[in-house]
Amino acid sequence: MKYRPLGNTGIRVSEVGFGSWQLGNRKDWGGMNDDQAIKLVHEAINQGCNFFDTAPNYGLGKSEELLGKALVSKRDQVIINTKFGHHSNNTQNFDVSLLRRFDIIA
């Protein structure tokens, strides 16, 4: 796997990212169960992928839930990119007051 800098953050991410739309999204992706989804995330990490993309509306929130479960003991190995403003109830609201603050611990 090749890696590139993420802007000027000093963080390096895999050139191939993992779009997690399919995790828990039975409507568009069929019958993937939770164990299969978690196994898929683990295999991506084993192949060198460290960049995961998600959003609250992927699978009505199920994608983020499964990604969280898959990364319990691996969180320090990956970078997660999530979107803002697209909610699990399929609405859009970009009000800045809805942002949560996350402190990054280096």
Side-chain angles (χ1 to χ4, degrees):
M1 183 68 70
K2 293 181 182 178
Y3 299 87
R4 294 182 181 204
L6 182 63
N8 59 5
T9 65
I11 297 170
R12 296 189 60 80
V13 296
S14 53
E15 286 186 351
V16 176
F18 184 103
S20 63
W21 172 259
Q22 73 279 8
L23 303 181
N25 185 345
R26 295 177 201 253
K27 175 184 169 230
D28 297 318
W29 287 90
M32 183 185 306
N33 67 40
D34 292 5
D35 290 337
Q36 290 170 316
I38 290 168
K39 184 178 178 181
L40 189 60
V41 171
H42 289 172
E43 184 58 27
I45 293 169
N46 290 341
Q47 295 297 321
C49 180
N50 75 343
F51 186 74
F52 290 81
D53 174 77
T54 189
N57 63 332
Y58 287 6
L60 300 176
K62 184 74 173 177
S63 174
E64 287 188 328
E65 176 188 326
L66 289 169
L67 193 57
K69 286 180 180 179
L71 297 175
V72 165
S73 62
K74 302 174 183 306
R75 180 59 185 97
D76 62 333
Q77 299 174 33
V78 302
I79 306 301
I80 300 172
N81 175 72
T82 190
K83 282 107 176 141
F84 167 71
H86 302 271
H87 302 278
S88 61
N89 64 0
N90 211 25
T91 63
Q92 293 184 7
N93 186 339
F94 299 95
D95 185 337
V96 72
S97 68
L98 299 174
L99 282 173
R100 291 188 293 174
R101 178 180 168 86
F102 292 95
D103 293 318
I104 299 174
I105 300 171

